[in-house]
């Protein structure tokens, strides 16, 4: 017999959802059969599986160790050398300044992403155990392109993931980026458009009018500093769609420097030759939290900033002379 004591990270989900995670190799038909036969009980009573779990509940599995082992696929942890640039951390969330070149999430099974770095960090620091991973996996609440640096919010607890995920969804959390674009931008701009993604090419198209399967986007930007042949901008990402900033600015005639997908090859080649630039100069710079009433009250109206990468700062300095 094994017992699962429900903590805050398991609470709020249905019993059958928990069992699918815990006995991840078992057919659902087997799980429901065990529930019917009272081989799996909730708080000592027969359960159907659709009960919503609360913290403090007890789930008992009256199964042999061999059966549990057979249906519990071992969770493989990809151990990495964790050297995260942590901007902020509490019991529910962690804010990381993601470097250029790191994936936010795996694209393929062999990939090592920020999620793997997060789990390794939590395991190494004793905040997480392999046993915890059977029923809850920490993850990220927002994603950045591989070659975009800056602030990523990670959820360490279920509450952290759920609350922060909702803030990104309802746009009450304000996201600001810094980038260097081609051409001179002299005034603050608010632009709307419609974005459509080509999945095969991983590329988006921007239009000023609606077309089938397109999504409405909103972007706001203002000049911070005039450079030799470009402008340092601060961008307020109002909606958050794939490649939105990159494609939307390019559609305005101000492509991000270093962006070969949406930008000007000749301009990018100069920066590549002069500064050894191999990626777009786009950085998730600042997050402004809304007023919070109860959930994650410790974050209420806080502002978090991730410093620009050294190469980004070097190019600003070089282009200011």
């Amino acid at each position: 017999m094994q017992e699962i004591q429900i903590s805050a990270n398991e609470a709020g989900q249905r019993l059958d959802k928990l069992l699918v995670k815990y006995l991840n190799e078992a057919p659902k038909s087997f799980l429901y059969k065990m529930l019917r036969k009272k081989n799996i009980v909730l708080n000592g009573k027969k359960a159907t599986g659709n009960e919503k779990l609360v913290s403090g509940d007890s789930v008992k599995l009256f199964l042999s160790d061999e059966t549990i082992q057979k249906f519990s696929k071992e969770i493989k942890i990809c151990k990495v050398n964790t050297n995260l640039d942590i901007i902020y951390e509490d019991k529910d969330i962690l804010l990381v300044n993601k470097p250029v070149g790191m994936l936010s999430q795996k694209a393929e099974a062999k990939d090592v992403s920020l999620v793997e770095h997060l789990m390794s960090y939590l395991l190494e620091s004793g905040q997480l155990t392999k046993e915890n991973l059977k029923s809850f996996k920490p993850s990220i609440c927002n994603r950045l392109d591989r070659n975009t640096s800056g602030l990523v919010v990670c959820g360490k607890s279920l509450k952290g993931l759920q609350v922060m995920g909702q803030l990104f969804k309802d746009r009450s959390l304000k996201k600001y980026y810094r980038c260097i674009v081609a051409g001179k931008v002299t005034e603050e701009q608010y632009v709307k458009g419609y974005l459509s993604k080509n999945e095969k090419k991983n590329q988006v198209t921007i239009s000023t009018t609606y077309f089938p399967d397109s999504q409405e986007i909103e972007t706001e930007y203002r000049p911070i500093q005039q450079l030799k042949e470009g402008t340092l901008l601060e961008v307020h990402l109002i909606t958050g769609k794939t490649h939105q900033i990159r494609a939307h600015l390019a559609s305005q005639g101000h492509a991000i420097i270093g962006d070969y997908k949406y930008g000007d090859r000749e301009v990018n080649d100069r920066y590549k030759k002069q500064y050894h630039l191999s990626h777009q100069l786009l950085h998730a710079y600042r997050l402004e939290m809304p007023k919070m009433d109860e959930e994650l009250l410790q974050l209420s109206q806080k502002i978090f900033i991730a410093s620009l990468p050294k190469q980004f700062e070097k190019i600003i300095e070089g282009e200011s002379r």
Side-chain angles (χ1 to χ4, degrees):
M1 189 274 287
Q2 287 192 19
E3 182 178 9
I4 307 169
Q5 287 287 343
I6 303 304
S7 69
N9 282 342
E10 290 85 39
Q13 63 184 308
R14 284 169 37 143
L15 172 59
D16 53 1
K17 299 292 186 183
L18 175 77
L19 293 174
V20 167
K21 294 176 185 176
Y22 199 82
L23 299 173
N24 49 29
E25 291 288 286
K28 285 187 179 180
S29 58
F30 171 80
L31 297 176
Y32 289 119
K33 182 179 179 181
M34 293 302 99
L35 285 165
R36 287 195 304 271
K37 295 180 69 174
K38 294 180 67 174
N39 287 340
I40 299 176
V41 297
L42 174 62
N43 298 324
K45 297 179 181 179
K46 186 177 180 179
T48 62
N50 62 2
E51 295 84 358
K52 184 165 282 191
L53 299 171
V54 298
S55 189
D57 277 348
S58 166
V59 179
K60 289 183 178 178
L61 312 176
F62 292 100
L63 305 170
S64 68
D65 291 342
E66 291 77 14
T67 300
I68 292 174
Q69 187 175 3
K70 174 186 174 183
F71 288 133
S72 299
K73 185 178 180 180
E74 184 180 357
I75 298 170
K76 293 182 179 179
I77 305 299
C78 178
K79 287 195 174 183
V80 292
N81 294 322
T82 54
N83 188 24
L84 296 176
D85 182 4
I86 297 173
I87 305 299
Y88 171 84
E89 182 176 8
D90 62 31
K91 62 184 177 63
D92 295 304
I93 74 160
L94 182 142
L95 271 62
V96 174
N97 186 2
K98 183 188 85 67
V100 164
M102 182 185 288
L103 286 167
S104 294
Q105 287 181 307
K106 283 187 176 189
E108 299 177 14
K110 64 181 180 180
D111 291 335
V112 176
S113 71
L114 176 56
V115 174
E116 281 67 55
H117 282 271
L118 170 66
M119 287 201 285
S120 288
Y121 166 73
L122 295 175
L123 285 165
E124 288 172 10
S125 61
Q127 300 181 63
L128 188 70
T129 66
K130 282 190 175 182
E131 188 68 20
N132 297 146
L133 290 173
K134 287 183 177 180
S135 55
F136 171 75
K137 289 184 181 179
S139 191
I140 59 174
C141 306
N142 64 307
R143 290 180 293 176
L144 299 178
D145 293 340
R146 182 198 287 268
N147 289 320
T148 297
S149 56
L151 283 166
V152 177
V153 179
C154 307
K156 292 170 56 177
S157 69
L158 182 63
K159 181 170 74 171
L161 279 173
Q162 290 177 335
V163 174
M164 293 306 301
Q166 183 59 39
L167 294 184
F168 278 104
K169 186 177 180 180
D170 65 23
R171 305 178 196 168
S172 57
L173 186 157
K174 306 298 182 186
K175 303 164 288 183
Y176 295 89
Y177 290 67
R178 292 282 169 97
C179 61
I180 298 177
V181 299
K184 300 294 182 181
V185 179
T186 57
E187 296 181 351
E188 184 173 341
Q189 300 284 337
Y190 165 77
V191 289
K192 293 178 70 174
Y194 295 90
L195 177 150
S196 180
K197 184 177 180 181
N198 183 320
E199 295 288 348
K200 289 184 178 179
K201 294 183 178 180
N202 190 31
Q203 191 165 354
V204 304
T205 302
I206 305 294
S207 172
T208 55
T209 57
Y210 175 81
F211 54 101
D213 299 322
S214 64
Q215 297 173 303
E216 188 175 31
I217 57 171
E218 298 175 72
T219 312
E220 198 171 40
Y221 57 92
R222 66 184 181 90
I224 300 293
Q225 184 179 339
Q226 297 296 328
L227 305 175
K228 287 178 184 177
E229 299 174 1
T231 309
L232 172 64
L233 296 183
E234 177 166 275
V235 180
H236 177 202
L237 184 62
I238 300 173
T239 53
K241 306 302 180 184
T242 302
H243 298 178
Q244 178 179 324
I245 294 176
R246 296 164 61 188
H248 213 177
L249 288 176
S251 74
Q252 299 296 306
H254 299 294
I256 296 175
I257 299 299
D259 189 351
Y260 279 88
K261 182 165 282 191
Y262 300 104
D264 184 290
R265 176 168 290 276
E266 186 176 337
V267 172
N268 291 335
D269 283 347
R270 177 178 81 80
Y271 280 82
K272 186 174 183 178
K273 181 178 180 181
Q274 186 172 349
Y275 299 104
H276 307 290
L277 182 65
S278 60
H279 59 274
Q280 67 264 9
L281 288 171
L282 179 62
H283 178 76
Y285 180 72
R286 189 170 80 251
L287 287 177
E288 296 185 359
M289 300 290 178
K291 185 175 181 180
M292 319 273 269
D293 294 325
E294 293 181 13
E295 300 285 8
L296 305 190
L297 185 61
Q298 70 273 20
L299 298 174
S300 184
Q301 297 183 305
K302 283 195 174 183
I303 296 174
F304 299 98
I305 292 175
S307 57
L308 293 172
K310 290 181 180 179
Q311 187 182 34
F312 201 127
E313 291 183 329
K314 181 181 179 181
I315 291 173
I316 293 174
E317 183 181 350
E319 293 297 301
S320 300
R321 293 170 184 164

